[in-house]
Amino acid sequence: MAEDRVHQLLLDIKQHHPEQHGLLLGARALVLALGPDVREEVKYGGILFSAPQPFCGLFAYTQHVSLEFGDGAQLPDAFKVLEGAGKQRRHLKLRTVEDLTAKQVSHYLGLACSISNSQKRQ
């Protein structure tokens, strides 16, 4: 059922935000590449990911795709690309496919997944 909702959301994004669709698919592929335990669900108008604890979400907007980290304030920002100044959340605004590499998306995804799951087990 979650798979059907994700598929439908991706179709809706392709129709309403075609310029962001490919970027969202690229970011989603990086998240899913973290391993077979990664699960996705549609929530809050985007795709939330867990493995098994929630660690990030992807949201398509008119001008960009936002990769959101619920516990992002705890991520070491070695590349100085995380945005946001709240107590918990941080995000990456992705505007081009090149941003997936330039903003070190795989690095931050691995950190977020690892940190989220290690904290929730304690």
Side-chain angles (χ1 to χ4, degrees), residues 8-21:
Q8 185 59 52
L9 178 65
L10 292 171
L11 289 175
D12 290 346
I13 290 169
K14 186 175 184 179
Q15 181 178 5
H16 294 95
H17 300 287
E19 60 284 345
Q20 306 309 337
H21 184 255

Side-chain angles (χ1 to χ4, degrees), residues 60-78:
Y61 295 97
T62 304
Q63 300 295 321
H64 68 280
V65 169
S66 184
L67 174 57
E68 306 277 338
F69 300 105
D71 293 324
Q74 297 174 30
L75 296 177
D77 192 9

Side-chain angles (χ1 to χ4, degrees), residues 32-43:
L32 295 174
L34 291 172
D37 294 337
V38 175
R39 300 289 178 255
E40 57 186 348
E41 67 175 316
V42 174
K43 205 169 191 178

Side-chain angles (χ1 to χ4, degrees), residues 79-97:
F79 300 101
K80 307 294 183 216
V81 294
L82 291 174
E83 299 181 48
K87 289 183 180 181
Q88 287 293 101
R89 296 184 185 275
R90 297 290 183 274
H91 63 276
L92 293 171
K93 284 186 183 175
L94 307 170
R95 291 181 173 85
T96 67
V97 174

